[in-house]
Amino acid sequence: MVLYLGIETSCDDTSVALMDDEVCLGYVTDTQDSSTFGGVVPEYASREHMNVLPDLIDSLLLKHNKTLFELGFIAATIGPGLLGSLMVGVTYAKSLAWSLNIPWIGVHHLEAHAMVSMWQNNFSFPFGILLVSGGHTCIIIAKELGKYEIIGSSLDDAVGEMFDKVGRKLGFDNPSGPFIEECAKNGNKVVKLPTPLYLDKSTNFSFSGLKTAAIRYWEQSDKTQQDKANLCASLQDVVTLSLCDRLQNAFGVSDLDNWCFVGGVASNLYIRNRISALCKSNGKSLFIPDPHLCRDNGVMIAYTGYKYYLLGQFSSYSDSANSALKF
Ligand code: KG4
Ligand code: ZN
């Protein structure tokens, strides 16, 4: 039995999980309020992580009647992400681990998004991943722990990034994805928007043209609540079409039976349902984490760290945060 912490600080969410082998005893997330700035400001995000991380860890341990001295290792996101934000989590994890004389394990953020799905659904390698978050939109073949092949990715904006930029114009707080999903419920899919990479047979994505078209529509509309809802419904639908279209292309180049849909955007119910239907009609098994585990969280970091811990693969103290960490 090993008790351990997972620390996630790659962007503006500070999240810590306390786990005992495969069991999550609890996790806490502090989401920064970036509405004043209309988006994430890297320097502010790093300072906020520094302010809240120590207390989050202390209160989580206290709540579960555990102490630092019972920990067997500490995992933290090592990249990719905002450099300053990553450095706070990595430095804290390394320092704590050094002072407690236990290993620390640097975790790849994207691998962790996929592994939390494995934690919840108990499938095994190899499997396919549709990862759709604020920073990434890609299709990946997961061969084994630490071995991934990206077979398609966005040529420009990621879906979450595009939702956040359009949402800002519509007056939503950041991150805008959940507001767009909510607003879309009152709208009709009547706004004509371009289908990204129409008829393209690749597994790549593109969302910047869609972003520009959505913003142009809004600026030229009467800006009524109905205009806003119709735009959200149409935008969400075109994004879903594009994701389904590319996943269908991926099924043509890979014969994997097991797929997972992960990342913050996978918490969107409308998109989840459509991806599920596509997988079903292709005879694929699809695994999607619970919505709260699609967004950045400490559990995904803790569990991925645990997988490496079981293999005895620890990080060294010379390993440092890498904002552009590759697979
Ligand atoms: O995975 P994540 O928490 O952070 C990154 O690794 O980027 O994803 C955050 C992104 C944001 O862009 C946010 O707008 C989007 O996920 N998002 C959503 C929803 N919830 C979060 N997009 C659409 N619908 C949602 N319900
Ligand atoms: Zn993420």
Side-chain angles (χ1 to χ4, degrees):
M1 295 279 271
V2 62
L3 187 76
Y4 55 100
L5 286 177
I7 300 174
E8 157 62 29
T9 62
S10 69
C11 191
D12 59 342
D13 289 325
T14 321
S15 187
V16 184
L18 178 64
M19 294 188 60
D20 194 349
D21 280 349
E22 305 237 341
V23 178
C24 179
L25 302 181
Y27 82 97
V28 269
T29 302
D30 178 273
T31 301
Q32 299 176 13
D33 178 9
S34 49
S35 51
T36 333
F37 309 111
V40 180
V41 177
E43 176 65 21
Y44 177 82
S46 319
R47 285 170 190 268
E48 275 300 294
H49 288 308
M50 283 175 62
N51 285 341
V52 301
L53 185 56
D55 282 349
L56 284 188
I57 293 176
D58 289 351
S59 56
L60 186 63
L61 287 166
L62 194 67
K63 184 172 173 198
H64 297 281
N65 213 12
K66 304 285 182 196
T67 68
L68 282 174
F69 303 103
E70 292 169 81
L71 297 175
F73 73 92
I74 299 172
T77 311
I78 193 166
L82 299 173
L83 186 60
S85 292
L86 290 166
M87 280 171 67
V88 175
V90 166
T91 308
Y92 206 83
K94 276 193 207 176
S95 313
L96 261 187
W98 182 80
S99 64
L100 296 165
N101 199 22
I102 56 174
W104 93 276
I105 298 173
V107 170
H108 195 294
H109 184 84
L110 305 189
E111 179 171 37
H113 267 301
M115 292 306 293
V116 80
S117 184
M118 187 182 271
W119 176 65
Q120 281 210 306
N121 298 286
N122 207 19
F123 53 94
S124 50
F125 288 99
F127 59 92
I129 308 169
L130 173 62
L131 181 128
V132 189
S133 69
H136 297 85
T137 300
C138 37
I139 300 179
I140 303 162
I141 305 298
K143 297 175 177 176
E144 58 184 83
L145 193 69
K147 281 218 172 106
Y148 299 88
E149 183 191 352
I150 299 179
I151 61 165
S153 53
S154 180
L155 306 172
D156 38 61
D157 290 5
V159 172
E161 177 186 7
M162 184 274 292
F163 276 152
D164 295 343
K165 286 175 178 166
V166 174
R168 191 176 164 188
K169 292 280 179 194
L170 297 180
F172 295 135
D173 280 349
N174 190 73
S176 303
F179 297 106
I180 290 180
E181 178 178 12
E182 199 48 40
C183 185
K185 290 177 184 161
N186 303 317
N188 303 309
K189 298 174 272 180
V190 292
V191 180
K192 293 231 172 327
L193 295 168
T195 311
L197 298 179
Y198 182 60
L199 293 181
D200 183 280
K201 290 285 165 233
S202 79
T203 41
N204 289 323
F205 305 86
S206 166
F207 295 103
S208 75
L210 188 56
K211 171 188 68 187
T212 309
I215 292 173
R216 190 172 304 139
Y217 167 83
W218 177 245
E219 282 170 350
Q220 291 172 358
S221 75
D222 294 334
K223 297 192 174 67
T224 64
Q225 283 307 313
Q226 195 57 50
D227 288 332
K228 193 184 275 191
N230 289 348
L231 177 57
C232 288
S234 308
L235 185 63
Q236 182 177 255
D237 189 59
V238 175
V239 165
T240 309
L241 269 175
S242 172
L243 293 176
C244 287
D245 183 44
R246 300 301 119 157
L247 194 54
Q248 184 71 61
N249 291 351
F251 291 158
V253 294
S254 152
D255 56 3
L256 290 170
D257 289 329
N258 287 343
W259 284 79
C260 63
F261 177 33
V262 298
V265 178
S267 60
N268 180 301
L269 206 61
Y270 182 86
I271 305 179
R272 288 165 83 97
N273 289 340
R274 294 275 292 277
I275 300 284
S276 299
L278 179 81
C279 286
K280 200 167 173 199
S281 65
N282 280 272
K284 308 285 184 189
S285 300
L286 179 72
F287 305 98
I288 316 178
D290 290 346
H292 67 108
L293 292 176
C294 288
R295 293 183 284 267
D296 291 350
N297 62 83
V299 182
M300 66 189 208
I301 306 304
Y303 181 68
T304 310
Y306 176 66
K307 287 290 196 186
Y308 282 92
Y309 175 83
L310 292 180
L311 297 175
Q313 293 183 19
F314 310 142
S315 297
S316 117
Y317 284 101
S318 59
D319 292 335
S320 49
N322 181 345
S323 61
L325 187 64
K326 298 271 179 285
F327 260 139

